[in-house]
Amino acid sequence: MTTILPRLDAVLVSAPPRFSDPEAVSIAEGTFGLRAANARDLGSERDQTFLLLDAEERPLAVMKVSNAAEDPATLDMEALAVQHARLVDPALPLALPWPLPDDPTAHRATLERPDGPHFVRMYDVLPGRSRTDPRDLSDAALVAWGETTARLARALRGFFHPSAQRTMLWDIQHAGRTRAMLESIGDARQRLLVERVLDRFDDVVEPVWPSLRAQVIHTDLTIDNALVDDAGRITGIVDFGDMSHSALVTDLSSVLDSIVVDRGRDELFRTSRLILDGYQRVTPLEPVELRLLGELFATRAAVTIAISSWRVGRGLEDPDFGLRYNASVADTIETILGVGWDETARRLGADVPARGGAGAIAAVDDLVHRRDQVLGPALEPLTYDEPIRMAHAQGVWMTDTDGRTYLDAYNNVPVVGHGHPRVTEAIARQARRLNTNLRYLHDDAIELAERLVASCPPSLDTVMFVNSGSEANDLAWRLATTYTGNDGGLCTAFAYHGISAAIAPLSPESWPAGRRPDQVEAWMPPDAYRGRDLEPNGFSAAIERLAARGHAPAATILDGMLTSDGFADLPPAYVRALVDATHAAGGLWIADEVQAGHGRTGEAMWSFQRFGIVPDLVTLGKPMGNGHPVAAVLTRREIAQRFADETVFFSTFGGNPVSVAAALAVLDVLDDERVLPRVVVAGHALRAALREVAADHPVIGDIRGVGLANGIEIVVPDGSTTPDAERAGAIKDGLRRHGVLVGTTGPAGNVLKVRPPLAFTEAEVPVFADALQRTLVELDP
Ligand code: PMP
C-alpha cells in the first residue's frame, strides 16, 4: 500500500481505541466525575463512543474516547464549532461537549496510555434513535434532512479554525488521492466505476473547485451521524469529527450518498430533489453548484467505495458490511453514469443548456413544429423565418442557444436591461418570503401605488393593479363606460391596445379584414413625413361618424408614441386639441403608457407629460416589472368611486407582492441610474448616427422618434415615399445576421421598430449604425 496515505489522515489508518465497558465506566468517573453503573460501546470509525447508563439502564451521557492519533487541536475545533453553531441557530439539535468539572473553558480530559494520549469528551444524550435505515425516511423527512443540512452549514458560515484546513480523505476535494486505494477494490466492476467517476472529477470538477463557495462545513451529516425521531426528522447531530474547510456543496454530496442509497433507479433522483428542496429552502444553490452536484454525489460514492475497500483490506472494517454497502453505493454510480452527466444535472434541477451545433438546429425544427401543434395557429408567428432560440440575456445583449450574441434594439419590456440584478433579486427574495394578494395588508403594494400617484398630476390619485397591458386597458375602458354612461371608443387608425373582448375592438391593427366594430371609430394620426393629417380635423370627423351611428364616446385611447401606427413625435398642441374634443363630446382620455411610459421618451416618466395634458385614466404595463407581469390603471377618485358604487374590483394576481417587488425595483433603478437623461442622450446619438447612414441610402425615407422609441421608415427609393415592407423585412433579417435585433411596425409594415431596453446607451449606437450600414450595402451593393 502506498505510503502517502498514513500522512494524509493518521486517524483513518489507525484502529479505534479498544477500551472495555468497565474501563469506560471508570474513565467517566475519573475525567468528568460521572458515576455510571454500566457502559455500552456504540462503535465508531475513528474513535470509541460509549453510552453511559445508570443502574436502571437509563442513559446518562455519551462519552467519546479519541483515537491515539487524534490531533487535540482538531477536537478543540469541534468544540468551538458546535458552540458557534449553537449561538447562530439555537434550535439546531447539536450535541454540545460538557465543560470539564475543574475548568469550564476546556472540553476534553486527557488519558495517557502507552499508545499515546486519548482525549475524553462527554455529551448529553440527545433524543431519537440512531442507525436508521435511510430507506425508511419519509418524503417529509428527506426534505427536513436537506433543510437541517443547510441550517447547519449556515450556522457554521462565520466560523473558522486553523485545523479546518486539513486533508480529510472523506472530503471530496481530495478525491484524487483515493486513486491510491483503487487496487484495494476487489470487485472489478466497482473499481471501473470508481475510476470513471474520479476521471470525471479531475476533468470537470477540479478545474472549477477554487471558484466554489467554501467555508468550514460538517461534511458528514449522514445517516450514521444523526439521531432521528419516529417521523425520521433529525433530533440530534452527533459527530463533528469530519469537519473541514471545503466547498459548501460538499455537504450535500455526503448527504445524498448516504440518504438516497438503495432506493432504486427511479427513486434516486426524486428523493435527491426532495433533499435539495429542503436545502434550498434555506440556502439556494448557485448555478455552478447545481450543475456539478451529480459529479459531486458520484464522487462521494466513489470515495466511499475506495476508502471502505481499503479499510476492509486492512482489517479496519467489517468486510461483510463493507462489501454489501459498497455494492449499493456502486449502484448509485451506475445509475448516474447510465443516465449521463448532463441528464443527471438536469434531473437534479440544474439549468443545463441545450447542445449547440447541428443537434440544436434539428431541435429548433422540432420545437417549431411542436409550437405550431400545441400553441395553435392564432399565435403570432415567430419573429424570424429561421427562429432564434434565446438562452440568456444581460443588459442590452441577448445570447442564443448556439452562443451567438445579439444587440437588443427591439425589446422594450426589460426596460432597465435584461436580467437586472436589482429586479431579479427583488423577485426571487419576495417569492421566497411571501406571495399573496391584496386582501391581506401589504406595505409594498401601497408604497408602489403611492409612488405611481406621486409621479402623475395630483388629480390621478387612485391606483388599481392588474397583470397585463390588455387588462389595464380593459379595466380603464370599464371605468370610462361606467363613468360616462357612453359606449363609443376612439383610437388611432392602426392602434394596438390589447387582447380582451372590449379592447380588441380598440385595436385596429388586429381587426379582422373589412370588419370595423360599430362602437369604435379610428382617426388617422399625423404623418409629418408625408405632410398628411397634421391637423386634428380627422379626429373631429371620427367623433361625428361615431355620433351618426348613435354612439357618444366613453373614451379616446392613445399610445403617446404611436408605436403600432409607425411612431410619431406628436405635437403637444395637436394632442391637447384631441383631449379637449374628447371631453367636449363627453368622453374620457386614456393615456396608454404601456409602450411609451416608464421613461421611454427620456423627456418624462410618462409620455402624456410631454403634451401638457392631464388624462382621466393612465394605463401601465409591459416595462413595469422589467418582464415580470404587472400592470396598473391610475385614475381620479370620482371615476373609481362611480365604479365602486356599482361593483367591486379584485384581481387575484393584481398587486401581488412579487410583482410589486419587481415594479418597485424598476422605479428604483430608473432613479438610481438616472435613466431618463441617459435616454435623451442615447436617443439623440442614435438618430444622428442613423441620419448619417440614411444619407447614402435613399431607402431610408424617414427617421423619427423621441428618446428610445424610434422608427426608421423604409420606402421605395424613387422619391415617392412609397412604403416598402418587403425591403424592411429584408433589412430586419440582415440586421439579425449582423447581430442586431429590431422589429417592424406601421400600417404598411415598413417601419423598423427600434425600441431597445433603456439600458441601451451611446456606446451601442455605433454597433447598431454599423450593422445597418453593412446590411444596406449588402442589399443594394
Ligand atoms: N397597449 C399598448 C400600446 C401595447 O403596445 C400593448 C402590447 N403590445 C398593450 C397595450 C397590451 O399589453 P399586453 O400585451 O401586456 O396585454
Side-chain angles (χ1 to χ4, degrees):
M1 189 48 56
T2 170
T3 51
I4 48 165
L5 285 167
R7 268 185 281 123
L8 289 179
D9 189 350
V11 177
L12 195 69
V13 296
S14 49
R18 299 223 164 91
F19 292 101
S20 67
D21 292 351
E23 279 177 301
V25 170
S26 72
I27 291 170
E29 181 158 14
T31 52
F32 284 84
L34 180 80
R35 283 184 199 201
N38 218 336
R40 195 178 300 147
D41 190 341
L42 298 174
S44 174
E45 180 195 72
R46 313 166 63 92
D47 44 28
Q48 214 179 358
T49 306
F50 294 95
L51 181 63
L52 300 168
L53 304 155
D54 69 8
E56 267 99 58
E57 290 280 296
R58 282 182 307 227
L60 293 172
V62 171
M63 182 174 75
K64 282 192 169 197
V65 184
S66 74
N67 194 303
E70 190 69 82
D71 176 0
T74 306
L75 302 187
D76 293 342
M77 166 175 74
E78 280 182 45
L80 291 169
V82 176
Q83 286 165 2
H84 183 99
R86 164 57 56 93
L87 209 66
V88 176
D89 188 346
L92 270 176
L94 302 171
L96 282 173
W98 291 10
L100 285 186
D102 53 0
D103 180 1
T105 63
H107 297 86
R108 60 180 161 83
T110 310
L111 213 58
E112 291 296 349
R113 285 291 183 274
D115 61 339
H118 294 272
F119 303 105
V120 182
R121 290 166 296 163
M122 200 71 80
Y123 298 87
D124 280 338
V125 179
L126 295 173
R129 341 179 232 105
S130 60
R131 308 213 177 285
T132 313
D133 184 336
R135 288 171 302 186
D136 294 340
L137 293 176
S138 67
D139 287 358
L142 295 175
V143 174
W145 204 289
E147 193 169 339
T148 304
T149 307
R151 275 175 58 196
L152 180 57
R154 187 180 58 185
L156 287 172
R157 201 182 284 166
F159 177 77
F160 191 72
H161 190 281
S163 299
Q165 210 99 52
R166 66 203 286 213
T167 306
M168 253 273 317
L169 271 194
W170 284 108
D171 175 353
I172 53 174
Q173 67 177 307
H174 307 298
R177 305 209 187 193
T178 61
R179 280 188 195 278
M181 296 169 160
L182 281 173
E183 61 201 59
S184 324
I185 306 175
D187 181 313
R189 175 189 79 111
Q190 288 183 12
R191 195 165 53 238
L192 199 70
L193 291 173
V194 170
E195 268 184 302
R196 280 180 64 188
V197 172
L198 293 180
D199 288 350
R200 174 76 180 177
F201 183 90
D202 287 351
D203 290 349
V204 172
V205 182
E206 178 100 15
V208 294
W209 191 273
S211 71
L212 299 178
R213 280 189 284 185
Q215 62 166 74
V216 177
I217 52 169
H218 184 279
T219 78
D220 205 26
L221 191 46
T222 59
I223 201 83
D224 292 331
N225 289 333
L227 303 169
V228 299
D229 63 15
D230 289 342
R233 283 165 215 269
I234 296 177
T235 53
I237 300 170
V238 294
D239 189 351
F240 278 66
D242 284 354
M243 259 191 333
S244 179
H245 186 272
S246 189
L248 179 66
V249 66
T250 303
D251 264 343
L252 272 169
S253 64
S254 55
V255 168
L256 293 177
D257 177 43
S258 159
I259 306 294
V260 305
V261 74
D262 244 355
R263 285 187 181 243
R265 190 187 163 91
D266 291 344
E267 280 291 86
L268 183 80
F269 294 104
R270 190 186 73 86
T271 48
S272 297
R273 285 193 294 269
L274 294 180
I275 294 171
L276 290 177
D277 285 345
Y279 190 93
Q280 299 205 79
R281 214 166 263 187
V282 179
T283 306
L285 291 173
E286 293 183 349
V288 60
E289 292 168 330
L290 262 177
R291 182 70 185 79
L292 292 177
L293 196 54
E295 277 84 353
L296 301 177
F297 180 1
T299 303
R300 171 71 182 207
V303 166
T304 299
I305 294 175
I307 296 180
S308 128
S309 303
W310 182 81
R311 282 173 56 86
V312 167
R314 293 205 146 195
L316 295 166
E317 211 170 285
D318 168 18
D320 286 347
F321 175 79
L323 294 178
R324 209 169 348 104
Y325 189 72
N326 283 351
S328 300
V329 175
D331 285 347
T332 299
I333 297 180
E334 207 155 48
T335 301
I336 290 174
L337 290 177
V339 163
W341 296 113
D342 280 0
E343 182 58 20
T344 292
R346 216 173 275 135
R347 290 193 192 180
L348 293 176
D351 183 12
V352 180
R355 277 178 305 118
I361 290 178
V364 165
D365 287 348
D366 182 46
L367 261 191
V368 170
H369 175 70
R370 283 163 53 204
R371 176 187 193 265
D372 290 346
Q373 289 294 305
V374 73
L375 301 182
L379 179 64
E380 275 211 32
L382 289 158
T383 299
Y384 298 98
D385 291 341
E386 207 182 286
I388 303 182
R389 183 149 60 147
M390 290 300 181
H392 52 91
Q394 266 303 313
V396 287
W397 299 96
M398 304 186 77
T399 306
D400 70 14
T401 50
D402 289 328
R404 188 118 205 248
T405 293
Y406 304 88
L407 173 62
D408 182 4
Y410 177 71
N411 289 289
N412 59 334
V413 170
V415 62
V416 293
H418 290 275
H420 196 292
R422 193 90 64 90
V423 183
T424 55
E425 275 311 299
I427 292 171
R429 207 180 313 123
Q430 188 59 46
R432 279 197 288 270
R433 186 188 304 135
L434 171 75
N435 201 13
T436 176
N437 65 69
L438 282 185
R439 280 188 293 227
Y440 297 106
L441 201 52
H442 199 272
D443 303 33
D444 292 355
I446 296 164
E447 182 193 330
L448 174 61
E450 286 169 351
R451 284 174 68 175
L452 292 174
V453 163
S455 73
C456 284
S459 58
L460 295 164
D461 56 3
T462 303
V463 180
M464 296 160 95
F465 288 119
V466 286
N467 312 288
S468 68
S470 299
E471 271 187 64
N473 285 332
D474 194 83
L475 179 61
W477 178 252
R478 277 181 75 194
L479 288 160
T481 51
T482 305
Y483 183 78
T484 61
N486 300 338
D487 69 348
L490 291 140
C491 59
T492 51
F494 205 67
Y496 180 79
H497 295 288
I499 60 172
S500 76
I503 300 303
L506 286 161
S507 301
E509 189 197 70
S510 50
W511 280 352
R515 296 236 306 273
R516 146 191 310 270
D518 190 67
Q519 77 282 15
V520 172
E521 265 302 335
W523 83 95
M524 288 299 294
D527 179 347
Y529 170 47
R530 296 181 178 82
R532 287 204 298 248
D533 303 303
L534 301 180
E535 299 302 322
N537 333 0
F539 182 74
S540 313
I543 293 184
E544 280 161 23
R545 287 197 300 276
L546 207 53
R549 293 205 298 276
H551 301 287
T556 300
I557 184 165
L558 181 76
D559 162 9
M561 280 309 302
L562 291 186
T563 315
S564 293
D565 292 276
F567 289 103
D569 177 1
L570 291 171
Y574 171 91
V575 180
R576 282 201 290 268
L578 264 50
V579 175
D580 290 346
T582 299
H583 285 158
L588 300 184
W589 188 265
I590 304 174
D592 180 339
E593 296 288 342
V594 171
Q595 287 275 355
H598 279 92
R600 171 111 337 236
T601 63
E603 291 178 11
M605 182 69 167
W606 312 114
S607 67
F608 74 77
Q609 291 169 315
R610 305 181 58 241
F611 309 132
I613 62 167
V614 180
D616 304 294
L617 296 136
V618 178
T619 56
L620 316 179
K622 282 180 184 273
M624 187 171 172
N626 211 47
H628 194 84
V630 52
V633 178
L634 279 90
T635 191
R636 291 202 304 275
R637 176 51 49 101
E638 56 170 328
I639 296 173
Q641 187 60 55
R642 189 80 59 84
F643 192 69
D645 291 344
E646 290 192 4
T647 183
V648 287
F649 164 71
F650 177 72
S651 159
T652 302
F653 295 135
N656 74 77
V658 175
S659 301
V660 163
L664 282 172
V666 167
L667 294 183
D668 287 343
V669 176
L670 288 173
D671 275 350
D672 287 353
E673 293 186 3
R674 308 208 191 291
V675 170
L676 270 64
R678 197 174 75 194
V679 167
V680 172
V681 173
H684 281 307
L686 177 66
R687 286 183 297 279
L690 292 178
R691 288 199 176 102
E692 270 184 42
V693 176
D696 300 331
H697 298 281
V699 295
I700 298 183
D702 190 30
I703 291 158
R704 55 179 176 262
V706 183
L708 287 174
N710 293 285
I712 305 173
E713 178 141 9
I714 306 301
V715 294
V716 178
D718 60 1
S720 69
T721 75
T722 309
D724 191 341
E726 204 176 309
R727 195 181 298 258
I731 296 171
K732 184 186 82 170
D733 289 343
L735 282 170
R736 176 251 171 99
R737 283 196 300 279
H738 289 292
V740 172
L741 306 177
V742 296
T744 51
T745 185
N750 69 318
V751 180
L752 297 176
K753 180 153 62 169
V754 187
R755 184 200 52 177
L758 301 187
F760 185 101
T761 66
E762 265 182 301
E764 283 77 46
V765 167
V767 180
F768 186 94
D770 186 50
L772 182 62
Q773 166 75 23
R774 286 198 280 158
T775 301
L776 293 172
V777 169
E778 275 165 17
L779 292 176
D780 277 312

